[in-house]
Amino acid sequence: MLRTALRNVLAHKARLLMTVLAVMLGVAFVAGTLVFTNTISDAYQKSSQKGFKGVDVAITPDKKDDDSGNPGDAPRLSQQVLDKAAKVPGAGSAFGVVKGNSALADKKGDLLGGGFSNLGGNYYPGADGKDPRYTMTEGRAPKAPGEIALDSKTAERGKYKAGDSIRVSVDGPVRTEKVVGVFTTDDGNVAAGGTLALYDTVTAQKLFAKPGQFDEIDVKAAAGTSQATLKSALDKVLPEQAKATTGKKLAKDQAKAIEEGMSSMQTAMLVFAGIALFVGIFIIVNTFSMLVAQRTRELALMRAVGATRRQVTRSVLIEATFVGAVAAVVGLAAGVGIGAALRSVLNSTGASVPDGPLIVAPTTVLVSVLVGVVVTVLSAWLPGRRAAKIPPVAAMNSVHAAPTTRGLVVRNIIGSILAAAGIALVVAGAGMGGDGQSPMAFGAAVLVIGVFVLTPLLSRPLIAAASPVLRLFGMPGKLARQNAVRNPRRTAATASALMVGLTLITGMTVIAGSMQKGIDKMAADGLKSDYVVSMGGTGPRPLSPDVSKALTKLPEVTTISPLRSSPARIAGDNDTLTGVDPKAIKELVNVDFTEGSFGALGGTKVLIDDKIADKHHWKIGSAIPVTYEDGSNGRLTVGGVYEGNQMIRGVMLDNATVTPHMTTVADFQVMLKAKGGATQDTKDLLKKTLGDNPAIKIQNKQDLSDEIAKAFTLMLNMLYGLLGMAVIVAVLGVINTLAMSVFERSKEIGMLRAIGLDRPGIKRMVRLESLVISLFGGVLGIGLGVFFGWAAGELIATELPSYELVLPWARISLFLLMAALVGVIAALWPARRASKLNMLMAIKAE
């Protein structure tokens, strides 16, 4: 039986090629994902470990998790702590670390690093005059105000060298500094495309902290002192709100954080690899079903001469194991290439990765081989079992056994139950708000399986609907329709492969389009201001109060309000206070009030959003106990309740009330209205007033919408690319099915040629059959995608009230056209093969 199985594989090399390709693509995706993420993770981990070489113990501020003290950040470390740490027994040296944001402009005035990570720090020379964290490759370290040193990658990108001047922005106003040195660093943010600027310690403290304060103190152990011993000694002298951590633990924690960060990317990519493999299952089942059907007489003869059912099933599974093993090995090799290519692509985008070897872990090899073999064997099990059940006598009387009507009835009943249950779960999940994710996801999976099971039943009416169009092509069109519905199981499996890919693509497109509409509506309805000014980069960054002061002086600015954010403890819960100008804010934001109005805002009277009001059962006149950022206690009074939105929410109060309690006075946004509204001339004037600062963003409503949408568009394009793998596998499935169908119908095609159907007619018949099957899968996929897009939108609407369902008809039409194109392309080779069949030889074929 083993020899027979292997001979069958070798005898059907061309027919099994598509199956190998389908499995290989899925395995390559899995292997490529594992190689890529392992390589990147290893490179960053080794890079971060280098960064901790000079650190045996790090001292950092420690915020105690209790309700005592102030709700702000823990106080920074003082010079006294640094001096004590340097004198601890076992300490060789200690140096203070100051961190902050420092945006750099290139020589054209554009922001270096794209705002991803614009870091600033201090150069802290030891007894030998050097900082072990940084190695100067050009010039010297900064020693006085107005001097700066750049990391080598930034200097190269900006074309800077020692002696050049550079424009810098820390919190808004532009500074011009002199580049006195260039250094190398193992900082992972720099390796990933960020920038790092170093100042002398006194200047860095003025910019990022306060005089004499540090964000961290790094201690190097003396010879013969272990990290654990040094930590124990430091623990005895540290103040309560400071903690010591060994360099080994820091490196371990950093490695763990990198691994966790990469795991989310790895999981996402593996999901799409799974989708490609899932689509490949349809091809494998189809292929082995057809191979078994074509060898029915051969299998029956084996049964007649003594082979048991188990042996017949085993022979099919041996074939599948061989095919899966070949596909897995080739897929693994391709995956290594994909992993290397992805790393190169990442580097080409500017997000440079630290140097390191390509990592092909033993688990990658094992997983790739197991995935390829297991998926193929499991997919071939059902056809093998079906082959073993064919009675020898019945099998030898026909070329293949037609599927029974009873089997289809049972399948339709099961499919109807699954589809109904799936729809019910999805609809129920849509009505459950934030708690509906799990039932909706489970319901979606059940519904897809149910539709797949029902696809043979659905194929007849949907394909019949195409009959009027097919009649235009004469006899080839009529034959194409009959061929498409002749074997509904095969048609279902072929169409389902395409259905899965288009379901996901359509669903994501509907969600993305609807979110864009919701974001536009949110900006239009929630904002009255013409412009919002903020610092660039990821996440909110402090903006100097000097920015709003400079803009207030412009006669073109009619209304302006800086927005300030201050952590606080409100009624025992950690929350945030949002400071505004009470006279101007009503002209800049648009909110609906359930109680009160903007007129009540001022002094200790505040406005709260409806969610906070409902949570605490507060209303106008309610007293709110508050602990400010500086630790002082107070009492605020509710002056009004408004409906929060994405633009403004939480506790809103007068800037004059919150500012005295802020440890560092800074804005996170400035909203303003200008004469004549938002015009390009006004925007240019604002930019000029702020010194053409590349680090400051000046955005109107459309700019805000576009910025948010940009992230969704980038993610959507990445998902399209990943799902393209599933579509490619689906194309292979259509080609495979048609090619084997042509082989199976050789005699029939010969007869058609004999009675007058010419070669172009044969080609047209096969192409139209492929087109109909592909469009059938496309219609099902688009229908399911729209349904899932609506359901997911109901969940999103709970977080984004302005969300509005939008059906992107242009893209949906494009997807349908893409399904048709898949059918046309997939039919090229099978149609050509069918038209070239020798008429007499085909008639004699069995």
Side-chain angles (χ1 to χ4, degrees):
M1 295 301 294
L2 177 62
R3 286 197 299 272
T4 302
L6 294 177
R7 283 173 181 170
N8 280 325
V9 171
L10 298 174
H12 304 113
K13 291 187 289 287
R15 287 183 242 166
L16 289 169
L17 177 62
M18 297 299 175
T19 305
V20 171
L21 282 174
V23 180
M24 183 209 76
L25 284 172
V27 172
F29 209 159
V30 171
T33 296
L34 294 174
V35 169
F36 172 68
T37 52
N38 287 341
T39 298
I40 301 300
S41 179
D42 181 76
Y44 277 119
Q45 285 179 22
K46 287 180 178 176
S47 176
S48 67
Q49 286 169 2
K50 288 179 185 176
F52 292 117
K53 273 185 179 179
V55 181
D56 287 315
V57 177
I59 304 170
T60 54
D62 185 22
K63 177 67 178 172
K64 303 300 179 184
D65 297 325
D66 55 36
D67 293 335
S68 61
N70 66 65
D73 295 330
R76 291 185 172 93
L77 305 169
S78 65
Q79 182 69 43
Q80 287 79 4
V81 177
L82 175 58
D83 293 339
K84 283 184 181 180
K87 295 175 183 177
V88 162
S93 60
F95 55 93
V97 179
V98 184
K99 304 173 185 176
N101 291 311
S102 183
L104 308 172
D106 63 18
K107 292 187 176 180
K108 295 180 181 178
D110 297 326
L111 184 65
L112 277 166
F116 153 67
S117 177
N118 304 117
L119 300 177
N122 69 312
Y123 188 92
Y124 193 93
D128 59 355
K130 297 180 180 179
D131 188 329
R133 298 170 296 170
Y134 313 109
T135 303
M136 287 291 163
T137 58
E138 182 184 343
R140 60 172 175 83
K143 296 178 181 178
E147 296 182 347
I148 194 173
L150 304 179
D151 70 88
S152 56
K153 292 182 182 293
T154 299
E156 184 181 350
R157 286 200 301 268
K159 298 179 180 178
Y160 285 111
K161 61 182 184 299
D164 290 344
S165 294
I166 184 170
R167 297 171 72 242
V168 181
S169 176
V170 173
D171 59 358
V174 177
R175 306 162 55 93
T176 301
E177 312 279 12
K178 182 181 179 181
V179 179
V180 296
V182 176
F183 61 90
T184 57
T185 175
D186 292 314
D187 191 299
N189 289 301
V190 174
T195 63
L196 177 59
L198 296 182
Y199 304 82
D200 67 279
T201 298
V202 174
T203 301
Q205 287 174 331
K206 288 179 180 178
L207 293 175
F208 309 127
K210 288 183 178 179
Q213 292 187 344
F214 300 95
D215 295 293
E216 183 179 314
I217 294 171
D218 293 340
V219 185
K220 180 74 175 172
T225 303
S226 68
Q227 291 187 356
T229 303
L230 178 58
K231 178 184 179 302
S232 298
L234 287 167
D235 285 338
K236 295 174 183 177
V237 300
L238 291 180
E240 184 182 354
Q241 288 193 317
K243 66 176 180 179
T245 310
T246 63
K248 288 180 181 177
K249 188 175 188 308
L250 287 172
K252 185 178 178 181
D253 291 345
Q254 180 85 346
K256 185 179 179 182
I258 291 170
E259 191 175 335
E260 288 175 354
M262 295 304 299
S263 69
S264 57
M265 179 196 294
Q266 188 180 79
T267 301
M269 294 178 72
L270 286 175
V271 165
F272 291 98
I275 292 169
L277 284 168
F278 180 66
V279 173
I281 287 172
F282 294 112
I283 300 175
I284 300 166
V285 172
N286 243 10
T287 301
F288 278 92
S289 295
M290 295 172 75
L291 285 174
V292 167
Q294 291 167 12
R295 294 191 347 244
T296 303
R297 284 193 174 183
E298 175 190 324
L299 294 173
L301 183 60
M302 289 169 62
R303 289 288 311 282
V305 297
T308 64
R309 285 186 176 185
R310 184 175 296 176
Q311 286 178 310
V312 171
T313 303
R314 196 182 300 149
S315 71
V316 175
L317 295 182
I318 290 171
E319 290 182 49
T321 302
F322 183 81
V323 171
V326 171
V329 172
V330 177
L332 175 61
V336 173
I338 290 172
L342 285 173
R343 177 173 173 167
S344 299
V345 168
L346 196 64
N347 281 327
S348 68
T349 61
S352 53
V353 178
D355 294 332
L358 200 66
I359 305 297
V360 184
T363 52
T364 301
V365 177
L366 184 63
V367 168
S368 300
V369 173
L370 281 178
V371 164
V373 174
V374 170
V375 166
T376 311
V377 170
L378 288 179
S379 303
W381 177 78
L382 189 60
R385 186 168 173 271
R386 194 180 296 148
K389 285 186 174 182
I390 300 173
V393 176
M396 284 190 283
N397 286 333
S398 62
V399 175
H400 65 276
T404 63
T405 305
R406 179 178 174 277
L408 283 174
V409 170
V410 172
R411 177 172 178 155
N412 292 339
I413 292 171
I414 294 172
S416 299
I417 294 171
L418 288 173
I423 291 172
L425 283 169
V426 170
V427 172
M432 292 169 65
D435 298 326
Q437 293 181 3
S438 296
M440 183 180 289
F442 181 68
V446 172
L447 178 55
V448 169
I449 294 170
V451 170
F452 166 63
V453 175
L454 276 177
T455 309
L457 176 65
L458 298 172
S459 64
R460 290 186 178 277
L462 287 177
I463 292 175
S467 294
V469 178
L470 292 174
R471 287 197 194 102
L472 299 176
F473 295 93
M475 185 55 66
K478 182 178 179 180
L479 291 170
R481 187 188 69 80
Q482 291 175 349
N483 289 335
V485 297
R486 176 187 298 180
N487 191 332
R489 284 191 176 94
R490 184 189 304 158
T491 298
T494 306
S496 295
L498 191 59
M499 177 193 79
V500 172
L502 282 178
T503 295
L504 294 166
I505 289 174
T506 304
M508 288 188 303
T509 303
V510 169
I511 293 169
S514 301
M515 285 197 72
Q516 177 63 65
K517 180 76 172 178
I519 291 164
D520 289 342
K521 191 170 185 293
M522 173 190 73
D525 296 348
L527 275 181
K528 289 183 182 178
S529 65
D530 294 323
Y531 290 101
V532 174
V533 181
S534 61
M535 288 292 288
T538 54
R541 295 185 177 183
L543 185 67
S544 170
D546 292 340
V547 171
S548 62
K549 289 176 184 177
L551 296 176
T552 302
K553 294 177 182 177
L554 290 174
E556 287 79 6
V557 175
T558 57
T559 310
I560 187 168
S561 173
L563 275 68
R564 291 174 183 168
S565 178
S566 176
R569 192 172 296 113
I570 301 171
D573 295 334
N574 289 327
D575 213 319
T576 302
L577 299 172
T578 301
V580 298
D581 183 328
K583 294 179 181 178
I585 194 65
K586 60 185 177 182
E587 302 295 330
L588 301 170
V589 297
N590 187 26
V591 295
D592 295 324
F593 281 86
T594 56
E595 288 185 272
S597 67
F598 277 117
L601 183 61
T604 58
K605 282 194 173 183
V606 301
L607 305 178
I608 60 174
D609 68 38
D610 48 351
K611 289 185 178 179
I612 294 177
D614 292 342
K615 178 181 178 181
H616 296 284
H617 306 291
W618 287 336
K619 57 185 179 181
I620 289 180
S622 296
I624 303 175
V626 59
T627 302
Y628 292 103
E629 184 179 350
D630 61 359
S632 61
N633 296 316
R635 190 168 292 272
L636 303 173
T637 304
V638 177
V641 180
Y642 66 95
E643 294 179 7
N645 56 47
Q646 297 294 316
M647 304 308 298
I648 193 160
R649 61 175 70 182
V651 178
M652 199 189 314
L653 76 167
D654 191 341
N655 269 330
T657 303
V658 72
T659 300
H661 300 288
M662 297 175 68
T663 53
T664 301
V665 179
D667 305 326
F668 69 90
Q669 272 184 359
V670 174
M671 291 184 177
L672 62 90
K673 293 192 79 170
K675 292 177 183 177
T679 64
Q680 188 59 47
D681 288 342
T682 302
K683 190 172 184 177
D684 291 341
L685 176 63
L686 297 178
K687 286 187 69 175
K688 186 177 180 181
T689 302
L690 298 177
D692 290 320
N693 192 332
I696 291 182
K697 295 187 294 187
I698 302 172
Q699 299 172 296
N700 58 24
K701 296 176 185 179
Q702 191 57 51
D703 294 332
L704 287 168
S705 295
D706 291 345
E707 183 180 50
I708 300 171
K710 186 179 179 181
F712 290 116
T713 303
L714 178 63
M715 183 178 68
L716 192 64
N717 290 337
M718 287 175 63
L719 294 177
Y720 281 161
L722 293 170
L723 285 172
M725 181 72 73
V727 175
I728 292 172
V729 175
V731 171
L732 292 175
V734 178
I735 295 173
N736 205 20
T737 300
L738 287 174
M740 300 184 75
S741 178
V742 165
F743 177 84
E744 187 179 275
R745 300 202 307 262
S746 295
K747 188 170 185 177
E748 175 188 317
I749 291 170
M751 290 295 294
L752 289 172
R753 290 289 314 283
I755 61 176
L757 191 62
D758 57 9
R759 286 186 173 180
I762 294 292
K763 282 184 179 180
R764 196 174 301 121
M765 176 187 73
V766 176
R767 287 171 183 163
L768 289 173
E769 179 184 351
S770 174
L771 184 63
V772 166
I773 292 173
S774 296
L775 284 174
F776 170 50
V779 169
L780 286 180
I782 289 170
L784 282 173
V786 169
F787 176 66
F788 291 147
W790 163 81
E794 293 298 300
L795 295 184
I796 295 171
T798 60
E799 295 296 325
L800 183 66
S802 58
Y803 182 90
E804 184 179 325
L805 180 66
V806 174
L807 296 181
W809 293 111
R811 289 207 175 188
I812 288 175
S813 302
L814 184 65
F815 295 154
L816 201 59
L817 185 64
M818 184 177 73
L821 186 63
V822 165
V824 171
I825 293 173
L828 291 177
W829 178 60
R832 185 167 176 269
R833 183 183 178 194
S835 67
K836 286 194 169 186
L837 284 175
N838 183 286
M839 191 187 309
L840 297 178
M841 295 297 293
I843 291 172
K844 290 196 298 179
E846 295 193 3

